[in-house]
Structures are given as C-alpha cells and as structure tokens.
Amino acid sequence: MEKKIREEFSRIFGTEGILYASSGRINLIGEHTDYNGGFVFPGAVDKCIMLAIKPNGTAKVRVHSLDLGESEEFGLREEDAPKAQWARYVFGVCRETMKRGGLVNGFDTVFAGNVPLGAGMSSSAALESAFAYALNDLFNDNKIDKFELARIGQSTEHNYCGVNCGIMDQFASVFGKKGCLMRLDCRSMEYEYFPFDPKGYKLVLLNSCVKHELVDSPYNKRRESCERVAKALGKETLRGATMEELYSIKDRITAEDYMRAEYVIGEERRVLDVCDALQKGDYETVGARMYETHYGMSKLYEVSCEELDYLNDIAKECGVTGSRIMGGGFGGCTINLVKDELYDHFIEVAKQKFAAKYGHEPRVIDVVISDGARKL
C-alpha cells in the first residue's frame, strides 16, 4: 500500500509526499456504554488508512482516493465543501482544525486504506485521525493536543458527514498503542493503557457480511430508553447505577426500558471485570464476560441479529474462550478470543456451517493491537 501511494502521488503531483497513517479499531468490551457515561475498552489494530501529503503553496486542497480512483479539488472556506461524501471527511478535518484556531494551507494528498468496510472497525475515524495528525504536524508544530485531534474527527462526523457519533472511535485511532488496549472513561475522559498480549490466544473477527436495513432509528430509541431510566433514578446518566436501584423503580418504567438499563448497568461491571482479569492474565474470565455481553446485546438490548447469534453459537460449540457481537449491532462482526490450538478448527467449522445456512462464508479478519495516528 505504501509503495502504491508513493507512486501515485509522484505520478499525479510530480513530487514526493510525506507519509502518515492512522488505524482502525476493535472494542474488546463496553458496547453502547459511551453515551451512558460509562467505560469502553478499545484498541487500535494493524489495519490503517495511509496518506502521502505535501503543502502546495495555494489555498486549494487536491485529494485523490486511490481505492475509489477518484479525485476532488476544493478551497478551505465553508462554502467550498465538496459534494462527494468521501471528500467531505478531508474537508471537515480541515474546517474543524481551522475552527479551533489551527492553521491549514492548501495541500496535495493521496490516500488508501486496508480497514475492512462495514465491519465496525471505524475506517472513517482512521481517515479523520490520519488527516488531523498530518495537518497538526505539517502546519501547527504539533501544538494541538491529542484529545483535540480526536474531537476534530468527531466534529467532522457531526458537522460534515451527518453521523452523531461518540468519541470512542477517534480516541482509539489517535491514542492507540502497540500491544495495549485502552480503558476510556466516557464521563471524565480519563484513560489508562492495559497491556494486551494474550500468549496462546488469537483475536479474530468474523464478519457476517450482512447489514440489516432498519426501518426506524434503533440507536436513538435505545438511547432514549436509557435516558428515561436515568431520569427515573434521578441521575444524569446510567453510569454508576446499581441493579438494586434499577429494581426499586421497576414498577415506574416499562419492561422494555428495564431490559435496556439492565444490559447497560451489567456492561459497566463487565468492562471493569475484564480490566482486572487482564492484569492477572486471566483470559478465561475475559472470555466469560464477552459471552455475557453477547447475551445482553442479543436478549436485553436487542441489537444483534440471527447471523451474529449463529456465529456466537458456533464459537461456543467449538470451545472458543470468548465471543460477542462487536459494534452497534444489526450486522457486522463477532470478535473472538480463541486458543491457538482451536483456531484452525473454529475457522473451518464457522465457514462451513455459516455458508451452509446463509449461502456465503463469513470473512476472517485476524487483528493485532497496534499504534494509532503516526508519521511514517
């Protein structure tokens, strides 16, 4: 990928660019907790967006997507926003940097990526973080702090791409550290690195390659459920709520709202349990909590789907240590913690059984925990 980017940059712009990259991410545990003020536990992975970039001495940005084979040119004023959705990510990062008092001048760039699309690994956050990091380094002497780089990516989603996302994806892409997962407190924004080197285990995603079209807005509905329960408890969010407190208001809320809150309150505890277990090298507990999260997301939060439940069942049958749906739900991947000696058998069985039932194999994505945004 690096060789192709260098060659294409030289071909289009007749010079050499400086290379930067930022990673996609996984989230080991802590799903639908960010907007509830809870904890998430992501890590950057060895799949990235990479770009070559060079200031061009004008007020124009010339950008080429190697994967799409498309080019765009735009100015840096608000009214210069490009129509192509993919180019709006780059434009948004420029504008959000400038809104914060950062300097951005015209530049030429070529980018490409190997973060699988539609797998819940946040290729868009990787793209935003790579450009935010590059613009900070090229034009601002790295004066913009890393949290602000993550917020630049988040604000790009909100203001230029129409996605009202939390901070986790951009945080993971910017702060990722090789061999470490990160526990982020989404209320205080404090974070801590946890070494993740599971000797004797592999971390693998199985992409169901399905994404169910949704008639209503299930994410907003889940969020509204949580907000109603928090209000009934007299709290700002569900963060820190206990099962006893939830039970005490059971007669004042709907059965559906009760289930949603039951999942979120349990998930907060599971994230902390996994952190403790990792420090002891106790991967059996990590795996047990992953299965509990899948059950909660499937039966209480109801954001799974038949295909993902089936992959989770196969993992259990094959003796996989831990398996759960990863991401927002309704399609995408399971994330699996598998003992080395079971890996080949698990992959073979999962491919065969899934293909027999759904007509196509799941896509296997091996992941290694890697560094986030960086200059190459």
Side-chain angles (χ1 to χ4, degrees):
M1 186 164 67
E2 181 177 332
K3 184 171 180 279
K4 280 184 183 171
I5 290 171
R6 284 188 189 280
E7 286 173 355
E8 194 70 356
F9 191 91
S10 177
R11 186 186 71 77
I12 296 172
F13 301 116
T15 182
E16 283 188 13
I18 304 162
L19 262 73
Y20 296 87
S22 192
S23 302
R25 63 108 189 98
I26 53 107
N27 186 31
L28 187 66
I29 200 160
E31 220 68 78
H32 291 278
T33 49
D34 53 354
Y35 54 80
N36 283 296
F39 297 95
V40 291
F41 205 48
V45 298
D46 58 335
K47 310 283 187 288
C48 73
I49 298 286
M50 189 182 292
L51 61 97
I53 186 170
K54 188 174 186 179
N56 61 22
T58 75
K60 296 276 186 188
V61 172
R62 298 188 294 178
V63 54
H64 180 75
S65 166
L66 195 57
D67 298 329
L68 296 175
E70 293 178 16
S71 296
E72 287 280 333
E73 182 176 315
F74 50 81
L76 290 163
R77 299 167 305 177
E78 198 64 30
E79 59 267 29
D80 297 329
K83 287 190 171 57
Q85 180 71 12
W86 67 266
R88 291 180 70 85
Y89 287 103
V90 182
F91 177 77
V93 170
C94 294
R95 289 297 304 160
E96 290 297 334
T97 301
M98 293 164 80
K99 286 179 197 175
R100 288 159 172 78
L103 178 68
V104 181
N105 292 324
F107 59 85
D108 298 329
T109 185
V110 172
F111 72 90
N114 60 5
V115 184
L117 299 176
M121 295 175 74
S122 297
S123 55
S124 60
L127 176 61
E128 292 148 4
S129 303
F131 274 100
Y133 191 95
L135 297 182
N136 192 29
D137 186 51
L138 280 177
F139 298 120
N140 295 284
D141 296 324
N142 294 301
K143 287 177 185 155
I144 303 171
D145 73 50
K146 288 174 86 172
F147 259 119
E148 209 52 52
L149 296 182
R151 289 191 185 98
I152 284 168
Q154 183 190 25
S155 298
T156 295
E157 297 275 1
H158 291 184
N159 298 328
Y160 297 94
C161 305
V163 180
N164 195 23
C165 63
I167 193 72
M168 176 178 77
D169 297 347
Q170 290 81 6
F171 168 83
S173 283
V174 171
F175 283 85
K177 185 177 174 184
K178 189 175 182 179
C180 288
L181 297 176
M182 301 165 283
R183 184 179 69 198
L184 172 66
D185 181 333
C186 293
R187 183 170 66 183
S188 70
M189 300 308 286
E190 292 174 335
Y191 66 96
E192 188 178 346
Y193 289 105
F194 285 78
F196 184 74
D197 183 22
K199 297 257 189 314
Y201 295 84
K202 283 187 172 70
L203 205 54
V204 62
L205 306 184
L206 290 185
N207 187 355
S208 66
C209 304
V210 299
K211 194 71 183 169
H212 291 279
E213 290 303 318
L214 305 164
V215 178
D216 55 11
S217 181
Y219 301 105
N220 290 346
K221 288 193 165 183
R222 300 302 183 280
R223 190 168 187 157
E224 286 159 11
S225 279
C226 296
E227 286 166 356
R228 282 193 293 270
V229 176
K231 191 175 179 185
L233 287 167
K235 296 177 184 287
E236 198 173 317
T237 66
L238 288 177
R239 166 69 178 275
T242 64
M243 297 306 281
E244 290 76 20
E245 288 173 324
L246 178 62
Y247 188 75
S248 74
I249 61 160
K250 192 170 188 179
D251 58 345
R252 289 163 43 204
I253 59 176
T254 67
E256 184 178 277
D257 284 359
Y258 186 91
M259 283 199 315
R260 306 298 188 240
E262 185 182 351
Y263 163 74
V264 171
I265 291 167
E267 186 73 347
E268 184 178 326
R269 182 67 257 162
R270 285 188 287 274
V271 176
L272 299 175
D273 283 353
V274 163
C275 293
D276 291 342
L278 280 181
Q279 288 179 315
K280 298 170 188 164
D282 175 8
Y283 291 100
E284 293 303 313
T285 295
V286 172
R289 295 296 173 270
M290 290 170 73
Y291 278 116
E292 287 167 19
T293 291
H294 185 89
Y295 175 86
M297 289 181 79
S298 178
K299 305 295 185 268
L300 301 174
Y301 222 61
E302 296 182 305
V303 293
S304 189
C305 62
E306 181 191 320
E307 294 91 344
L308 291 168
D309 288 344
Y310 190 56
L311 285 173
N312 186 257
D313 289 342
I314 293 169
K316 270 192 199 132
E317 287 166 21
C318 291
V320 168
T321 303
S323 175
R324 72 171 189 85
I325 171 179
M326 186 183 83
F330 309 105
C333 288
T334 58
I335 179 169
N336 304 273
L337 184 65
V338 193
K339 282 183 177 163
D340 287 346
E341 61 268 25
L342 296 177
Y343 178 85
D344 289 342
H345 175 68
F346 168 54
I347 297 300
E348 186 184 339
V349 171
K351 281 181 171 181
Q352 283 175 357
K353 286 196 163 188
F354 195 86
K357 194 171 172 72
Y358 297 109
H360 67 271
E361 291 183 353
R363 191 170 297 139
V364 179
I365 307 168
D366 291 304
V367 293
V368 177
I369 304 303
S370 302
D371 289 320
R374 60 206 182 270
K375 186 177 182 177
L376 299 175

